[in-house]
Amino acid sequence: MSEKAIYTRKFSTERKQKDFFTENFPLYLQFALKYIEDEEVCKDIVQEAFIKYWKWENNFKDEVSSKAYLYKSIRNGCLNQLRHRDIRRKYYESLPEDWESEDYFMENVIKEEVADIVLKEINKLSETSRKILLRSLDGYSNEEIAEELGVSVNTVKTHKARSYIVLRQNLGHLRSLVFFLLF
């Protein structure tokens, strides 16, 4: 096939896609607005649906299949948007009242830094002690840890006790640092 024929075919396909989009965009936009009242969000959802459609355009046998695909894509896009909006709303509602304050910011920076320092010290422990301590911090009971690692409950208790001694020795400086930073 000549370059001119390929270009003409490609141009023809692009023209058909543009015409199809121009003719049907208002219809699908109105459909999306039934789910979400924000027109800009709906425009984005409809455009995304058309982009997905064009990737699969050759897989549809007729106009009914094409339209069904677009309607379902738009509906799913709207429902996903609503789910994400609901998740964001729940997240913001779960935040403490002072979440935008400097104190809240500093408190969380300190917590993250301290947690990082503690985790680095835990990673310096022997493999068995590290596994036991991390599972303990994840809420596992001594019995569950013993069963999972194939050791006795007393072994778990001993490793935990020794690990806590090592951590207290290596992290003693954090007490005064955290106290100083928080007060």
Side-chain angles (χ1 to χ4, degrees):
M1 187 179 283
S2 72
E3 279 188 39
K4 185 176 181 180
I6 292 172
Y7 174 78
T8 304
R9 187 170 162 201
K10 183 179 178 191
F11 179 77
S12 174
T13 302
E14 288 174 358
R15 171 56 68 197
K16 284 180 188 176
Q17 288 175 339
K18 185 177 181 193
D19 290 346
F20 181 72
F21 178 81
T22 304
E23 289 172 24
N24 291 290
F25 186 82
L27 169 73
Y28 292 117
L29 178 60
Q30 288 305 311
F31 176 72
L33 286 166
K34 302 275 192 253
Y35 289 91
I36 299 174
E37 294 178 2
D38 186 334
E39 189 169 337
E40 293 304 312
V41 170
C42 288
K43 285 179 180 178
D44 289 343
I45 291 169
V46 172
Q47 287 175 352
E48 283 296 318
F50 270 100
I51 290 168
K52 289 178 191 171
Y53 167 74
W54 287 325
K55 287 182 182 176
W56 298 100
E57 183 178 15
N58 293 331
N59 295 339
F60 300 104
K61 51 187 172 193
D62 55 30
E63 185 179 348
V64 173
S65 300
S66 296
K67 285 188 171 192
Y69 175 82
L70 283 164
Y71 276 119
K72 285 182 180 181
S73 275
I74 292 165
R75 181 200 64 195
N76 291 341
C78 290
L79 294 177
N80 286 338
Q81 179 68 28
L82 291 170
R83 276 188 215 101
H84 290 294
R85 185 182 295 169
D86 194 39
I87 289 168
R88 281 192 303 270
R89 182 184 51 77
K90 286 179 183 176
Y91 171 73
Y92 284 117
E93 286 174 359
S94 73
L95 290 172
E97 289 181 23
D98 65 341
W99 71 275
E100 293 179 294
S101 72
E102 190 68 24
D103 289 341
Y104 182 82
F105 171 75
M106 286 305 297
E107 181 181 327
N108 282 291
V109 167
I110 292 167
K111 283 180 184 177
E112 290 302 317
E113 288 296 317
V114 168
D116 184 57
I117 293 168
V118 170
L119 188 58
K120 285 178 181 171
E121 287 299 321
I122 289 172
N123 285 331
K124 292 179 184 177
L125 297 171
S126 70
E127 184 178 350
T128 304
S129 294
R130 181 175 54 250
K131 286 180 180 178
I132 289 171
L133 197 56
L134 289 174
R135 282 172 177 76
S136 179
L137 292 173
D138 282 337
Y140 286 74
S141 69
N142 289 343
E143 292 77 17
E144 291 170 325
I145 296 169
E147 184 178 326
E148 187 176 318
L149 298 180
V151 297
S152 73
V153 173
N154 283 335
T155 300
V156 170
K157 290 178 182 178
T158 302
H159 275 278
K160 281 173 64 174
R162 289 180 183 162
S163 297
Y164 289 139
I165 290 169
V166 169
L167 291 175
R168 275 189 208 102
Q169 289 171 348
N170 294 345
L171 298 171
H173 67 283
L174 281 183
R175 287 185 200 161
S176 56
L177 176 65
V178 171
F179 181 78
F180 175 75
L181 290 173
L182 292 177
F183 300 101

